Amino acid sequence: MYNSSEPLDQSFYNQPTLELAQSLLGKLLLKETEDGIAGGYIVETESYMGPADRAAHSFNNKRTKRTEIMFGRPGHAYTYSMHTHCLFNVVSGDIDHPEAVLIRGIEPCTGEDLMELRRPKAKTKKQWTNGPGKLTKALGITMADYGRKLDQPPLWIAPGKTVKSSEIASGPRIGIENSGEAKDYPWRFWIEGNAFISR
DNA sequence: AGCACGATAAGA
DNA sequence: CTTATCGTGCTA
């Protein structure tokens, strides 16, 4: 358990975004706060492919205070708030290639007592973390984590467990109905049959 | 099914 | 100022 919680090296993030989105499945996402450490296995991701992807915040190289981190090196946290929620992405692509992978679902691994406290409205364990806004709340990820490098506490990603390519399913992304033909691209990946998929 | 919630950004 | 958004939880 302890060894599998050691951060992945920076070199892990030097791979094409569509491959990274699949490589992240099974990896362990961890967050440490003053209350302790909470973490879970990543079971669902989505790729956002930058300038050419109408669904991406960085479409057409749109560069704002919010998207700035995506133009830098990969392996950092891109958090943004939508309505009342915070969503967590892993920055991908090299410098000036503003791509990212959205984490949409995790399977609780450690700190389950913390997650239960942070998700008082969830009726079942699965509802702790089966959505992008839910898992950030369960782990204690906030906008204060924007830009953090993901190879050290308080926010990091560890090897977790191995996922065979035969266990990985793919399909269209969620919540981007207004993005032209990009809405049909199969850039969402998940572990087939896992209970913590968002839908 | 619909709708409120409200951080960020763009357009009028 | 108004509108839209990579979502969640409420009311029905």
Side-chain angles (χ1 to χ4, degrees):
Chain A
M1 174 66 81
Y2 186 77
N3 283 336
S4 71
S5 297
E6 292 299 307
L8 283 161
D9 188 79
Q10 169 72 29
S11 61
F12 170 72
Y13 301 97
N14 293 329
Q15 56 181 313
T17 298
L18 289 174
E19 292 176 24
L20 180 64
Q22 295 170 78
S23 297
L24 280 168
L25 294 174
K27 297 295 184 291
L28 191 54
L29 174 64
L30 295 138
K31 173 71 196 277
E32 179 173 25
T33 69
E34 58 184 10
D35 296 322
I37 295 175
Y41 299 106
I42 296 169
V43 300
E44 182 182 359
T45 62
E46 280 181 4
S47 294
Y48 287 87
M49 302 300 288
D53 181 2
R54 274 183 61 179
H57 292 159
S58 52
F59 173 64
N60 215 8
N61 274 312
K62 184 165 64 175
R63 192 162 185 161
T64 65
K65 185 177 180 183
R66 182 173 71 159
T67 63
E68 181 63 30
I69 191 67
M70 284 195 280
F71 287 82
R73 289 177 56 73
H76 293 75
Y78 169 44
T79 53
Y80 72 92
S81 55
M82 99 153 285
H83 298 289
T84 55
H85 312 291
C86 176
L87 276 64
F88 171 75
N89 298 250
V90 176
V91 173
S92 178
D94 209 340
I95 291 178
D96 290 333
H97 292 263
E99 302 171 5
V101 178
L102 171 67
I103 308 302
R104 291 195 56 93
I106 67 172
E107 177 181 339
C109 171
T110 61
E112 300 194 1
D113 50 341
L114 283 176
M115 296 194 211
E116 187 167 22
L117 283 171
R118 290 163 173 162
R119 298 282 299 125
K121 289 166 184 171
K123 297 184 181 73
T124 65
K125 175 174 176 178
K126 135 183 203 176
Q127 292 172 351
W128 294 353
T129 55
N130 70 334
K134 299 177 189 178
L135 68 91
T136 56
K137 191 157 291 184
L139 293 186
I141 295 174
T142 70
M143 285 306 293
D145 293 307
Y146 179 90
R148 282 201 206 282
K149 203 160 179 289
L150 297 172
D151 65 352
Q152 60 192 313
L155 180 62
W156 72 104
I157 295 175
K161 60 187 177 186
T162 301
V163 176
K164 299 178 200 154
S165 58
S166 60
E167 299 176 275
I168 299 177
S170 64
R173 295 171 292 178
I174 289 174
I176 57 166
E177 297 308 308
N178 205 355
S179 297
E181 64 179 16
K183 73 179 174 58
D184 296 320
Y185 298 163
W187 289 347
R188 170 176 171 244
F189 303 97
W190 65 93
I191 297 178
E192 188 68 60
N194 190 279
F196 295 87
I197 304 304
S198 58
R199 66 179 69 170

